[in-house]
Amino acid sequence: MNAKKIHENNPKFEKYTSELLILKPEGYPLSGMMEEYPVIENRDVFEFYAREQWNGHIARKGDYLFDRRMFPDFAYRIIEVEPAESIIGNSTSIIVTEEKNGFPSTLEIKGSIKFEDVIGQEIAKQKCRLIERFLEDPERFGKWAPRNILFFGPSGTGKTMLAKALANKTDVLIIPVKATQLIGEYVGDGARQIHQLYDRAEEMAPCIIFIDELDAIALDRKFQELRGDVSEIVNALLTEMDGIMEREGVCTICSTNRIYSLDSAVRSRFEEEIEFVLPGEEEALRIFESNMKTFPLQVENCNFQALAKKTKGLSGRDIVEKVLKSALHQAIIEDREIVTCKDFENVLAKLGKKEFPKDPSELYV
C-alpha cells in the first residue's frame, strides 16, 4: 500500500499534508517545444489550479512537478517543502519563485500551527507572550518594542513551530527565510535581499521575519574566512536590527543551534534569548501519544512510557521522524495493517547504538 493510497483512504493522514511548497519554473524537457512561458498573474488562482492537479502527490525537495493541462509537460522544480516528503493537499500554500536560490522576496504565510502543537517548551512559550502582546498592539510599546529575538537550542526542538504558532495566535503574517538563501551569487545580492525582505515586512506590518539557521551567515568572524565573505550580509542585517530605518510593527526572530559560534556583534543585537531544550520523559510520551492519533495504520497497545524512557538525547523531531515514521514505514513495507511494539523497539535499538552527547547543550555549542 503506497503513501498516496493511504492518503486517499485515511482522512487522518492529513497530518502529513504539505504546509508550504516553493517551486521554481524549469521549462520544457525538450528543445523545440512550445516557447510560451506560463506567467502567473493571479497567485490565488494559480494555487487553486496547482492544488487541484497535483492533489495527492508526494512532494520531495529537488523533485519535479509537471503541468498536465494548460502548459503540458512544463516542469517546476520543488525548492522547499514543509514538512519534508509530505503530500500536496487542499490546504497547501504553493509559491513560485524565479530566484536562483529559491528565495521569493514576497513570500509570506499564515499557518495553522497552534501553541498546543508545540509539546513542552513551557518557558519559551511564556517568554513569547511579550512578543504576542507587541504584535497585537505595536503602538502601545513605542521605542520599547521587542524587535529582535533569538531562539536557540538543539535542532528539532520546535523553534520554527513556535514562531509559526506565534504568528497564528496573533493573526499576523510570517516571512520564513533560511539564512543560506540570503547569500547571493554576486557581491551585493545578499544585502539587497535583506533590505527587500524588511521593506516587504514593513508593508505587511505587524509582521514576523523568521530567519532560520542564523549561524550560516553570522558565524564568529574568525570562522568566516572558511566559508566565504558574508560581511556585507551581516552588516545589512545589523543595520535593520539596529532600527536605523524604523520598521514599525516588524519583529525579527532568528534561530540557531550553534549559539556560541555566533558573531558577538550579531548576538548583542538581540534583546531576548529564548532557549529550547530537548524533551524530557513526559514530553516524549506526549509526543508519542499526540502523533500516533494521526497514524494511518492501527497501533498495537504498547508501554509507551517505557519507550519514552529510551528517547533520551532525541529531539521532538527525532521522535517523530526517526522513531514514529520509521516504525510506520516498516509496517507499510511489510504490508501490515498494525504497527507493533517491536517496530518501535527495533528503531530505538538502532538509534541507541549512536552516541548522543551527555549534555544536551553540546548539541548546539
Side-chain angles (χ1 to χ4, degrees):
M1 185 181 296
N2 59 35
K4 183 176 179 181
K5 193 69 175 176
I6 290 173
H7 174 65
E8 292 171 347
N9 295 337
N10 295 271
K12 292 191 296 182
F13 201 70
E14 286 295 329
K15 181 71 173 180
Y16 297 92
T17 297
S18 305
E19 179 181 338
L20 173 65
L21 192 65
I22 302 179
L23 308 177
K24 180 178 180 295
E26 291 289 353
Y28 294 96
L30 299 175
S31 61
M33 297 183 69
M34 181 174 61
E35 295 297 328
E36 186 178 1
Y37 187 84
V39 178
I40 299 171
E41 295 184 350
N42 187 311
R43 170 180 159 178
D44 292 336
V45 172
F46 175 80
E47 278 195 292
F48 182 87
Y49 169 77
R51 285 193 294 256
E52 187 179 51
Q53 73 163 324
W54 293 325
N55 189 283
H57 284 258
I58 299 176
R60 299 183 181 89
K61 184 176 180 179
D63 282 1
Y64 292 89
L65 293 172
F66 292 89
D67 197 327
R68 301 299 185 192
R69 298 177 182 176
M70 297 295 294
F71 298 88
D73 297 326
F74 188 88
Y76 293 90
R77 183 160 57 89
I78 300 175
I79 301 296
E80 291 289 345
V81 57
E82 295 182 5
E85 294 192 22
S86 48
I87 293 175
I88 301 173
N90 295 328
S91 61
T92 303
S93 178
I94 301 177
I95 309 295
V96 175
T97 174
E98 295 185 28
E99 297 285 343
K100 291 184 178 180
N101 58 8
F103 172 64
S105 59
T106 59
L107 169 64
E108 69 273 353
I109 63 172
K110 273 192 177 181
S112 57
I113 296 176
K114 300 178 181 179
F115 276 95
E116 297 75 29
D117 296 327
V118 183
I119 296 175
Q121 310 303 346
E122 297 306 322
I123 295 177
K125 290 178 185 176
Q126 185 176 10
K127 289 188 175 183
C128 281
R129 289 178 183 171
L130 178 64
I131 310 172
E132 181 183 333
R133 301 290 185 274
F134 165 64
L135 293 170
E136 289 174 341
D137 187 9
E139 294 181 0
R140 173 186 176 188
F141 285 80
K143 71 174 185 178
W144 306 104
R147 300 192 183 279
N148 306 307
I149 310 296
L150 181 65
F151 288 178
F152 73 96
S155 178
T157 48
K159 298 185 289 294
T160 302
M161 283 186 68
L162 191 57
K164 291 180 179 179
L166 186 60
N168 184 42
K169 179 69 162 45
T170 54
D171 195 30
V172 303
L173 292 171
I174 179 172
I175 305 179
V177 184
K178 287 190 181 295
T180 50
Q181 295 172 322
L182 296 171
I183 302 174
E185 185 174 355
Y186 304 104
V187 174
D189 280 354
R192 174 182 56 81
Q193 288 196 90
I194 286 176
H195 293 311
Q196 286 180 347
L197 176 67
Y198 278 85
D199 286 341
R200 179 60 177 165
E202 188 176 22
E203 291 174 4
M204 303 183 303
C207 175
I208 296 173
I209 293 176
F210 181 73
I211 303 177
D212 197 9
E213 301 173 358
L214 178 65
D215 47 274
I217 59 171
L219 282 176
D220 189 297
R221 298 182 187 189
K222 65 186 176 184
F223 300 125
Q224 288 188 14
E225 61 183 10
L226 301 177
R227 56 176 305 283
D229 181 18
V230 293
S231 60
E232 55 131 14
I233 300 174
V234 173
N235 289 337
L237 181 60
L238 292 177
T239 298
E240 294 292 351
M241 293 176 69
D242 282 339
I244 295 175
M245 297 177 63
E246 292 190 11
R247 309 282 191 179
E248 294 295 332
V250 177
C251 179
T252 301
I253 300 178
C254 297
S255 77
T256 181
N257 59 357
R258 302 178 63 190
I259 187 171
Y260 298 111
S261 296
L262 291 182
D263 187 283
S264 58
V266 176
R267 189 173 174 184
S268 68
R269 264 47 175 209
F270 294 102
E271 303 123 30
E272 183 73 55
E273 295 182 353
I274 300 178
E275 183 177 12
F276 287 69
V277 297
L278 293 172
E281 185 179 319
E282 289 306 313
E283 286 83 7
L285 177 60
R286 287 167 57 196
I287 292 171
F288 269 106
E289 293 174 341
S290 173
N291 284 276
M292 281 187 301
K293 292 177 182 177
T294 63
F295 259 31
L297 299 182
Q298 185 179 346
V299 179
E300 188 177 55
N301 188 21
C302 304
N303 183 353
F304 289 105
Q305 186 78 54
L307 292 174
K309 291 181 179 179
K310 299 179 181 180
T311 63
K312 186 176 181 180
L314 297 179
S315 68
R317 184 170 61 200
D318 289 335
I319 295 172
V320 174
E321 298 291 328
K322 297 180 180 179
V323 180
L324 295 176
K325 185 178 284 188
S326 295
L328 171 63
H329 288 180
Q330 187 59 41
I332 293 173
I333 289 171
E334 297 177 4
D335 291 323
R336 289 188 274 114
E337 295 298 325
I338 297 178
V339 183
T340 67
C341 301
K342 194 66 175 177
D343 292 322
F344 296 116
E345 291 170 355
N346 288 341
V347 173
L348 285 168
K350 291 178 182 178
L351 291 174
K353 294 178 181 178
K354 299 179 181 180
E355 292 186 2
F356 294 98
K358 295 179 181 179
D359 181 355
S361 65
E362 295 178 21
L363 291 171
Y364 54 95
V365 172

